[in-house]
Every structure is written in C-alpha cells, then in structure tokens.
Amino acid sequence: MTFLKRSIFCGLLTAMLLSTPAQAVAAAPAEETVRTERTVPVQIDGHLLDWSGIVRQGVTYVPLRNLLDTLGGWTLTWDAGTRTAVAVSGDRRLTADPTADTITLDGVSRSGKVSVEQGRTVVPLRLVGELLGAQVEWDGYLSGAAVTSSDAAYNAVDYYWLSRIISAESQGEPLEGQIAVGNVVLNRVASSQFPDSIAGVVFDRQYAVQFEPVENGTVYNHPYHLSLEAAARVLDGETSVDGALYFYAPALSPGTWINANRTYLTTIGCHRFYL
C-alpha cells in the first residue's frame, strides 16, 4: 500500500471511530457492573448452608429470613403498615427498613442497603451478623462468607476446614486416628515451619501440596459425621499424637522422604505418624 493510500485509509478509520455513537461507548461500564454480581456460598459455625449469598460491589447480601432461621430463635414477619421486616427473639427486636435503608436492633439503627426481592427481605450479611454478636469474615479458600455465631464453641473457618481435612484424610479410621490427623494440623499451626492458621496449613503449597485431598479436591466434600466430632475434640485440646507433624498411609504411599528425614512416633489405624 502506498503512503498516500495508507494516509487516506487511516483518515477514514479515524473518522469512523469518532463518529461511533456515544451510547455504545457508555454501555460498556453497565455491562461490567452486571458481571460483578455473583452468588457465593455461606457457612455458619462450620456448616455449609443450602442457600447462597449475593455479592454486590464487594458487599455480601443474604435473605434475612434464611439467616435468622439458621441462627435460630427468631420469628420474622412483614409489617405492611410500616413496610418493614420485623424479627423478634424474646425481648429483642430487629427491623429492616428498605425505604430508609436501615437495620435497627433494640432501638439502635445502622445504615445498610435493604431491598425486597421476590418477596424476600435482603440485607447485608456482615452488618446484621455483627449486630447480632456474630463474627463475619470472608474465607478465600471457600470463596464465600463464614459466620461464627455469638454462642459458637469454635471459629467457623477453623472448624470448617479442620473437619474436612480430617474427613478427607482419615474417613473410616477409628476416632483416635481421626483425632491424630487433626493434631498434626494444629501442631503445624503452632510450628514456625508452617502457616499460622488451620486453613493456611491445609492449603499450604510452600513445598508442594501438603495434603493429597487438596490436590484431588476431596477436601471440599461434606465431612463424615465422626470427623465433625474429631475436629471438635481436637479444638477442645484432645491429643492422640503429641508433637507429630507428619503422617502417611503405607498402603497408599512409600513415605520415602518421611522415613528418611523424620522420627517415627506411632501407628494408629492405617497411618504412621512422625515428629
């Protein structure tokens, strides 16, 4: 193409771009905003719920009835006169006002987006949870919200992942063996050689994946009922293998590195444990 032809072509292209309707350009941000809304899992006190939250502009929203029914002890009604959702538990009273965008608990109001969608009152999870004395946090490994209720015995994230790694690694083992697997996780949390949280230890990849269930995805499965008990006992301080940092099942792995580099402690069920 000659220089003259190239100049004419570029000029025509520029004119076409400049004449593009402004509405077409303005539509792009709106489409991007729509894509930022997504559903996310919610777990309360270590138990994954069968309903989801919705993330909008970085805030997780949930149906108020679902949240209160899960926490228990609340009766929720709709006041047609004031057009507010009213929840009562004993002498406590919570209202959600979609007109004023406020949540009020026992006379104290907080601002937060409240909406009515398909007949359900939808509220910000963190705002309502914290008003009710719960701890609400984002769990990056779950890609969802975790709620520790005010009367929970354990942190929701800790109990969730400890019960699942115990179940995935030792489902079918005796309770003592499942407790031992949980002990290894907590011993690693206490050790300077490993991450300082249960979820961090479970998903640790500093020297490659540490637990096979993380690699094959079984860590995300619902935990075996005995594993829930084992996790609770471990979090309460029960110990089967004091100081153990490693374990493996000889039927599934030769354990070459562990046998060569770690001190053998004991065998429980199908697992050998090492310091």
Side-chain angles (χ1 to χ4, degrees), residues 146-232:
V147 180
T148 305
S149 64
S150 59
D151 57 353
Y154 319 106
N155 174 268
V157 176
D158 288 348
Y159 186 53
Y160 186 90
W161 290 117
L162 185 61
S163 63
R164 277 157 176 75
I165 194 63
I166 290 174
S167 181
E169 284 282 7
S170 58
Q171 184 177 139
E173 290 290 297
L175 180 59
E176 181 188 10
Q178 295 195 41
I179 290 172
V181 169
N183 290 155
V184 168
V185 174
L186 260 63
N187 289 342
R188 287 190 174 197
V189 172
S191 170
S192 60
Q193 303 172 55
F194 299 95
D196 59 2
S197 70
I198 289 174
V201 164
V202 170
F203 292 94
D204 183 17
R205 292 175 177 267
Q206 183 176 2
Y207 302 108
V209 175
Q210 296 293 299
F211 298 98
E212 181 64 24
V214 172
E215 187 71 32
N216 62 32
T218 56
V219 71
Y220 299 102
N221 294 346
H222 189 276
Y224 183 55
H225 71 90
L226 200 61
S227 302
L228 292 169
E229 180 183 348

Side-chain angles (χ1 to χ4, degrees), residues 8-255:
I8 294 172
F9 174 77
C10 292
L12 289 172
L13 180 60
T14 301
M16 290 171 62
L17 291 173
L18 291 175
S19 64
T20 300
Q23 294 89 338
V25 177
E31 294 173 359
E32 184 63 31
T33 299
V34 170
R35 284 195 292 269
T36 61
E37 178 175 310
R38 67 189 191 280
T39 59
V40 296
V42 177
Q43 65 105 331
I44 295 181
D45 295 336
H47 302 284
L48 189 65
L49 307 178
D50 58 6
W51 49 270
S52 301
I54 304 171
V55 173
R56 294 171 179 157
Q57 298 181 331
V59 178
T60 303
Y61 294 87
V62 297
L64 180 59
R65 182 178 299 278
N66 291 49
L67 176 62
L68 295 181
D69 284 351
T70 303
L71 292 174
W74 290 87
T75 300
L76 179 67
T77 58
W78 177 258
D79 187 330
T82 60
R83 298 191 59 79
T84 58
V86 180
V88 177
S89 176
D91 59 355
R92 308 197 75 190
R93 177 184 172 91
L94 181 148
T95 61
D97 187 341
T99 302
D101 278 335
T102 57
I103 309 290
T104 303
L105 178 65
D106 301 333
V108 179
S109 296
R110 297 273 299 276
S111 297
K113 178 64 178 175
V114 179
S115 59
V116 177
E117 304 174 21
Q118 299 178 336
R120 302 182 304 173
T121 303
V122 177
V123 297
L125 173 60
R126 184 182 297 277
L127 173 59
V128 176
E130 291 181 349
L131 277 173
L132 296 175
Q135 176 186 348
V136 182
E137 55 191 309
W138 183 259
D139 182 353
Y141 298 105
L142 177 65
S143 294
V147 180
T148 305
S149 64
S150 59
D151 57 353
Y154 319 106
N155 174 268
V157 176
D158 288 348
Y159 186 53
Y160 186 90
W161 290 117
L162 185 61
S163 63
R164 277 157 176 75
I165 194 63
I166 290 174
S167 181
E169 284 282 7
S170 58
Q171 184 177 139
E173 290 290 297
L175 180 59
E176 181 188 10
Q178 295 195 41
I179 290 172
V181 169
N183 290 155
V184 168
V185 174
L186 260 63
N187 289 342
R188 287 190 174 197
V189 172
S191 170
S192 60
Q193 303 172 55
F194 299 95
D196 59 2
S197 70
I198 289 174
V201 164
V202 170
F203 292 94
D204 183 17
R205 292 175 177 267
Q206 183 176 2
Y207 302 108
V209 175
Q210 296 293 299
F211 298 98
E212 181 64 24
V214 172
E215 187 71 32
N216 62 32
T218 56
V219 71
Y220 299 102
N221 294 346
H222 189 276
Y224 183 55
H225 71 90
L226 200 61
S227 302
L228 292 169
E229 180 183 348
R233 291 194 179 201
V234 170
L235 291 171
D236 282 337
E238 189 168 335
T239 302
S240 294
V241 284
D242 193 23
L245 292 172
Y246 297 86
F247 67 90
Y248 78 97
L252 301 176
S253 169

